[in-house]
Amino acid sequence: MIVDRHGMYLDIIERHKGIVFKVARSYCSNEFDREDLVQEILAQIWRSLDTYNDSFKITTWMYRVALNVAISFYRKDKTAAYKHQEMEDKLLSYDMEAERENEQSLNELYTFINELSGVDKAVLLMYLEGEGQSEIAANLNITVSNVSTKISRIKQKLKTKSA
């Protein structure tokens, strides 16, 4: 069976683009940097599509790709240009109105997330998305007990900050 790679890509992005935007918002406070990071993540998802292992959930794989791109985004020379394939405008649209309903709480959460270290950010984002501790551990190459400890410490930090 021949799989339409482009169609598969469009379907994956349309169904799970929220992951891309969450990661970008968590790693970039500047709107223009966020847009650049979203472009980098989308391009990397396209380039990595052939390496997707369907024994993992597609969302787990997307988090791995998005987080790897986000973590290395500022390490790279921003002048290095990637050849991007034209992407349909609808892929880059995101319903910001849905986020604005609870804007203050959301902004506080993202402020908290931005204060975390890179690994802690990744753990929290995946945890909030409902990923299991074993999936988080596998994605970040850390132990399940380390994930559990990190989640506990992040929750404690959040409680302290909220008090």
Side-chain angles (χ1 to χ4, degrees):
M1 180 175 141
I2 298 175
V3 177
D4 174 21
R5 186 172 191 251
H6 187 258
M8 181 177 157
Y9 173 77
L10 293 175
D11 181 56
I12 289 168
I13 297 302
E14 186 60 36
R15 286 187 294 131
H16 305 292
K17 63 185 170 186
I19 291 171
V20 174
F21 288 97
K22 286 177 192 173
V23 169
R25 184 164 183 187
S26 296
Y27 279 82
C28 297
S29 56
N30 176 298
E31 180 182 347
F32 297 109
D33 288 342
R34 262 196 315 270
E35 290 174 7
D36 287 346
L37 181 55
V38 166
Q39 289 290 333
E40 292 295 328
I41 292 169
L42 291 174
Q44 187 59 42
I45 288 171
W46 172 257
R47 287 191 296 270
S48 302
L49 199 55
D50 292 333
T51 66
Y52 170 63
N53 178 348
D54 62 3
S55 64
F56 293 102
K57 292 188 328 186
I58 192 71
T59 54
T60 301
W61 175 79
M62 281 186 69
Y63 263 113
R64 175 173 276 176
V65 172
L67 291 168
N68 285 337
V69 172
I71 290 168
S72 65
F73 183 67
Y74 288 105
R75 291 183 197 158
K76 293 181 181 179
D77 181 9
K78 284 185 137 184
T79 61
Y82 284 106
K83 294 182 179 177
H84 294 286
Q85 179 175 347
E86 288 273 331
M87 294 183 201
E88 297 176 23
D89 288 341
K90 71 176 189 171
L91 293 179
L92 300 179
S93 66
Y94 187 65
D95 184 6
M96 294 303 287
E97 289 303 314
E99 282 192 10
R100 287 190 181 116
E101 291 176 7
N102 214 355
E103 191 169 346
Q104 183 176 0
S105 295
L106 190 60
N107 285 336
E108 289 172 9
L109 176 61
Y110 279 113
T111 298
F112 175 76
I113 292 171
N114 282 327
E115 293 171 358
L116 296 174
S117 72
V119 174
D120 286 351
K121 278 183 196 180
V123 167
L124 182 57
L125 286 172
M126 293 178 76
Y127 178 76
L128 291 174
E129 192 64 28
E131 297 291 329
Q133 291 185 9
S134 59
E135 290 172 323
I136 296 170
N139 272 337
L140 300 176
N141 293 322
I142 58 177
T143 65
V144 174
S145 62
N146 194 346
V147 171
S148 179
T149 301
K150 286 184 177 298
I151 290 171
S152 178
R153 288 181 181 160
I154 291 168
K155 285 180 178 180
Q156 189 58 43
K157 275 185 190 177
L158 186 57
K159 284 180 186 175
T160 304
K161 192 163 186 85
S162 298

